[in-house]
Amino acid sequence: MSQASFLSQGGYAFFVWGSYGMAALLLVAEMLLLRRRRRTILFRIGRLIRMRAQETDHESQT
Amino acid sequence: MKQNWNWYRYASPATFYPLAGRLVPWFAWVAGILILVGLYWGFFQTPDQLGGANSQKEYYRIIFIHVPAAWMSMWLYVVVTGWSALGLVFNTRQSFMMANAVAPTGALFTFLALWTGSFWGRPSWGTWWDWDPRLTSELILLFLYGGYLAVHSAIDDTRRADQAAALVAIVGLVCVPIIFWSINCPDPNQCAALHQRSSLGRIEPNILTAMLLLTFGFWSYAFATSFARIRSIILERESGTQWVRELPEVHP
């Protein structure tokens, strides 16, 4: 099968690739969102720890 | 040390968090391989056109994502309901977290089943959408996923959010057999559906192979995303605990 006939899918390229394209888009988007969610919560916890460390430093100085 | 090894051990977020982390890459790899092999099989080992009573041209290849996505949409809803029910009965926090981790991926597959169905319906039926029983009940399933997630995020108190959303999931379970029977009813004359009946037994073996490869690929993908998501959920809910503060990844 030639590359052109593979891409055209017998003239139904819009329907076939419209379906597969949406599938690829959604799966990739979900993985990116999952990575962002993990980074966000790790950053927040890290900041929480630093804030607590500063508070205890401050208390020991006064 | 027999009592150290039991399943209840993993009902604690502190022990489940690292286990889920080890499982994510395995499921992701299996998913990637199954999906790639399934796509190869679907595009290069299948006939371009189907003859017979239900003749179809190249657009039938949408089946390789349409059917696996539709199966996952229903199966993952059953999984969400199962964990929700366990959470309500045994009052286990982690069951609710499981339900919460699975639901977004289930909603994704429901949307994908509707979208690909629409792109299949246009060339084969001549319409993007019809208020046919199968299509309508699948759309309601999407709303149920949306309702579950919306109720959960609308309630500030996590415990109450878990319980209320679990109830939504359980009530909505009635939709799953309706979707199934909407085309698989015993008397074909009672199925007033545009959507074709399921005919797994008479399907061409190569088409079935690609469909099953994609199904198990999507299932493995759902495991990977659910485990990845529950790790974030655990961190969000346990952010004040000692074990989370001692994790190496929170000390960059």
Side-chain angles (χ1 to χ4, degrees):
Chain A
M1 193 199 292
S2 76
Q3 200 183 353
S5 79
F6 172 72
L7 288 178
S8 77
Q9 289 294 317
Y12 294 99
F14 175 71
F15 300 102
V16 174
W17 302 126
S19 298
Y20 282 82
M22 179 52 81
L25 189 79
L26 287 179
L27 298 197
V28 169
E30 187 183 25
M31 289 188 276
L32 291 177
L33 285 173
L34 280 170
R35 195 176 68 170
R36 198 179 69 175
R37 185 169 180 178
R38 176 164 173 80
R39 285 183 174 175
T40 307
I41 184 62
L42 285 178
F43 176 77
R44 256 177 36 206
I45 294 171
R47 198 175 51 187
L48 210 70
I49 293 171
R50 285 195 299 278
M51 274 164 56
R52 283 198 185 150
Q54 277 172 359
E55 273 172 25
T56 46
D57 277 359
H58 192 70
E59 276 164 22
S60 58
Q61 278 166 14
T62 50
Chain B
M1 295 289 280
K2 193 163 180 270
Q3 75 219 83
N4 248 351
W5 180 252
N6 67 54
W7 287 105
Y8 294 106
R9 207 162 87 84
Y10 289 105
S12 139
T15 44
F16 187 71
Y17 176 85
L19 174 72
R22 284 197 300 276
L23 290 172
V24 171
W26 285 100
F27 281 109
W29 273 107
V30 170
I33 291 166
L34 286 175
I35 288 172
L36 283 179
V37 176
L39 286 179
Y40 165 77
W41 212 274
F43 278 101
F44 299 108
Q45 300 294 324
T46 52
D48 280 340
Q49 314 207 342
L50 303 183
N54 187 23
S55 65
Q56 306 248 346
K57 294 190 175 162
E58 282 85 344
Y59 53 76
Y60 88 86
R61 289 208 169 100
I62 294 169
I63 198 174
F64 304 125
I65 36 175
H66 177 70
V67 171
W71 279 344
M72 291 319 295
S73 74
M74 290 191 279
W75 169 240
L76 293 180
Y77 195 87
V78 173
V79 173
V80 169
T81 311
W83 284 117
S84 297
L86 276 179
L88 286 180
V89 172
F90 296 107
N91 206 13
T92 41
R93 287 178 307 144
Q94 198 164 302
S95 307
F96 293 123
M97 294 190 213
M98 278 291 210
N100 247 285
V102 175
T105 304
L108 181 151
F109 280 124
T110 312
F111 177 80
L112 193 57
L114 288 164
W115 177 276
T116 55
S118 193
F119 271 64
W120 194 354
R122 178 66 205 169
S124 64
W125 300 336
T127 181
W128 295 101
W129 181 259
D130 187 82
W131 294 102
D132 149 286
R134 170 50 72 92
L135 277 63
T136 309
S137 50
E138 182 76 7
L139 181 66
I140 293 173
L141 185 71
L142 181 65
F143 294 156
L144 284 168
Y145 273 115
Y148 171 87
L149 292 167
V151 163
H152 197 280
S153 64
I155 301 174
D156 286 333
D157 184 278
T158 310
R159 240 178 118 71
R160 305 197 83 189
D162 278 343
Q163 290 168 345
L167 211 59
V168 172
I170 291 167
V171 171
L173 187 65
V174 70
C175 194
V176 172
I178 292 177
I179 297 172
F180 180 80
W181 291 110
S182 66
I183 59 161
N184 293 299
C185 56
D187 176 7
N189 296 321
Q190 300 294 318
C191 284
L194 189 56
H195 194 288
Q196 76 171 86
R197 288 165 67 82
S198 120
S199 49
L200 275 182
R202 288 178 282 116
I203 199 165
E204 207 257 337
N206 283 315
I207 295 178
L208 184 65
T209 304
M211 228 165 77
L212 291 179
L213 283 167
L214 263 295
T215 301
F216 288 110
F218 279 177
W219 198 352
S220 195
Y221 169 86
F223 268 107
T225 54
S226 301
F227 284 140
R229 191 175 288 110
I230 200 173
R231 272 162 67 81
S232 289
I233 293 175
I234 289 173
L235 290 180
E236 284 158 13
R237 295 193 182 190
E238 306 268 298
S239 57
T241 60
Q242 186 66 29
W243 75 268
V244 167
R245 268 180 275 150
E246 285 168 359
L247 285 172
E249 54 260 48
V250 301
H251 299 281

